[in-house]
Amino acid sequence: MYGEGGKGLMVPQSPFSTFHFPFSHLFPFAFRPFTVALFLTLLIGLGVLPHPALAAEAITLIPTQAPNVPPPIQRSAQARVKVELEAKEFRGSLADGTDYDFWSFGGSVPGPFIRVREGDTIELTLKNDPHSTFPHSIDLHAVTGPGGGAKVTQTPPGEHSSFAWKALHPGLYVYHCATPHVPTHIANGMYGLILVEPARAALPKADREFYLMQSEFYTQGPHGAHGLQGYSMEKAEREQPDYVLFNGREGSLTGEHALKAKVGERVRLFVGNGGPNLVSSFHVIGEIFDQVYPGGAIGGPIMKNVQTTLIPPGGAAIVEFTLDVPGSYPIVDHSIFRAFDKGALGMLEVSGPESLDIFNPGAAR
């Protein structure tokens, strides 16, 4: 189709054909609608502006359960992204022989991993399972707005709430429930991670990415007591947990559930701390982190050659390292009693050829 240009000139129509710059009469050639259309089309092609047809098109995001991570985002333009989460209360295994009544996002602890891009507009819907006993909500630390979304998502059982927000800042962020009593909702398992990828200067390629989240549980019985264990508010207020765990269960990252990788691969760990109380001294025994994004911040200073990194409650970190030697690598909170006596222990199993010039177990014989 064609539309009327300046002085009766017929020019191809575009979504921007009616756009007029101020004072265009002073520059009769530079600001013709056809020129404007070509200029804006170039910006669209470079990804600076979204395509008008795509701007209204929504992407439905499918989050993943820990330790899995959605693949890196390949698109170069911002988008509308639909995310749906459901608050669920369920009885599950805290440790072998020990059950617990969890509160969760999506029926798992931690909740699903969400991956979006800087500049995206996220349309988030929170449902609360009809069988829930309590109202629930969500506060995403990536959100700029009142309560991180919690103010508008206080959701009774069987209901749902929605809001939209724009991802302005790249980084790895915690989300959690923020319904009173907030510490209790978090202590019972309502937390997860959201990654906002940068619009420019993407994270370097990694061969494997994993999702880990540390948190504490406060039970009526001591660590290792069998049967159903209820939540102890008294222990939580004293900050004396019976369990300090990765991914919501003792043994969630050991044995057949251990993380697996190969020599020569670059591994990236997205690590969060749901708390609600303890700072994590995150460490992988036998490895040095090549790079750490402290606080989960992307775009700021990167720490290199790090042995242990601190992650506060409600905080996160991105750690990266390349595997040189095969073997078993324990993943721990180096507040070490937590690892060996309270459950904060995982395992990375690395297969591949020996690197005797780096590590030679028989050289001293």
Side-chain angles (χ1 to χ4, degrees):
M1 294 180 63
Y2 287 78
E4 186 174 335
K7 297 184 178 180
L9 178 66
M10 302 301 288
V11 299
Q13 269 192 344
S14 83
F16 305 103
S17 292
T18 58
F19 184 90
H20 294 283
F21 282 92
F23 312 112
S24 60
H25 63 284
L26 300 177
F27 306 92
F29 298 103
F31 292 103
R32 298 292 177 132
F34 183 67
T35 305
V36 172
L38 287 177
F39 176 68
L40 294 178
T41 300
L42 175 63
L43 293 181
I44 291 168
L46 293 173
V48 177
L49 294 176
H51 192 287
L54 297 179
E57 190 175 312
I59 298 170
T60 299
L61 191 69
I62 302 177
T64 58
Q65 308 294 342
N68 300 312
V69 177
I73 294 171
Q74 300 299 324
R75 55 186 166 83
S76 59
Q78 59 194 33
R80 285 197 306 124
V81 180
K82 292 187 175 183
V83 178
E84 185 175 294
L85 296 174
E86 185 174 25
K88 286 189 174 183
E89 301 167 14
F90 70 97
R91 182 167 295 176
S93 176
L94 188 65
D96 289 344
T98 304
D99 290 337
Y100 188 83
D101 287 330
F102 294 93
W103 303 353
S104 75
F105 292 102
S108 68
V109 177
F113 191 99
I114 302 169
R115 193 166 196 160
V116 296
R117 183 183 180 274
E118 180 186 2
D120 284 351
T121 296
I122 294 89
E123 299 174 356
L124 189 143
T125 297
L126 177 67
K127 297 181 177 180
N128 192 352
D129 184 78
H131 300 100
S132 293
T133 303
F134 300 95
H136 296 293
S137 61
I138 189 167
D139 167 7
L140 302 102
H141 291 187
V143 168
T144 301
K151 187 173 182 180
V152 294
T153 57
Q154 299 295 327
T155 310
E159 302 294 331
H160 71 274
S161 303
S162 299
F163 75 105
W165 59 281
K166 193 174 186 69
L168 300 178
H169 303 282
L172 181 65
Y173 299 94
V174 169
Y175 65 83
H176 60 83
C177 185
T179 297
H181 175 255
V182 175
T184 295
H185 283 252
I186 296 174
N188 281 325
M190 299 199 74
Y191 38 76
L193 290 179
I194 176 170
L195 174 67
V196 180
E197 290 194 11
R200 296 177 178 83
L203 292 172
K205 182 182 180 300
D207 298 294
R208 297 184 190 270
E209 296 180 326
F210 298 107
Y211 168 27
L212 287 72
M213 199 149 192
Q214 181 174 318
S215 61
E216 312 113 50
F217 289 88
Y218 301 83
T219 55
Q220 293 290 338
H223 179 273
H226 285 185
L228 177 63
Q229 295 297 318
Y231 166 65
S232 172
M233 173 71 83
E234 182 180 2
K235 290 180 180 179
E237 289 176 338
R238 294 201 310 262
E239 301 186 8
Q240 295 176 342
D242 299 280
Y243 294 86
V244 183
L245 305 176
F246 293 123
N247 292 355
R249 188 190 188 281
E250 193 168 58
S252 66
L253 297 174
T254 60
E256 63 180 316
H257 305 294
L259 305 181
K260 293 178 174 58
K262 297 178 180 180
V263 168
E265 291 184 329
R266 183 182 185 88
V267 173
R268 176 177 294 129
L269 303 180
F270 297 108
V271 189
N273 186 355
N277 292 318
L278 304 182
V279 175
S280 172
S281 301
F282 186 77
H283 178 76
V284 177
I285 298 174
E287 266 297 341
I288 294 93
F289 303 143
D290 298 331
Q291 294 195 148
V292 173
Y293 299 75
I298 297 176
I302 297 174
M303 300 171 62
K304 294 181 180 294
N305 304 319
V306 177
Q307 58 186 318
T308 300
T309 190
L310 297 178
I311 307 175
I318 304 170
V319 303
E320 301 172 350
F321 50 94
T322 299
L323 299 167
D324 298 302
V325 178
S328 299
Y329 294 83
I331 301 167
V332 301
D333 179 341
H334 214 296
S335 297
I336 208 69
F337 274 94
R338 301 174 189 172
F340 292 99
D341 295 297
K342 294 192 175 184
L345 175 66
M347 196 67 69
L348 173 64
E349 299 289 354
V350 180
S351 60
E354 297 284 352
S355 301
L356 298 181
D357 58 326
I358 297 175
F359 183 82
N360 190 338
R365 292 175 185 171

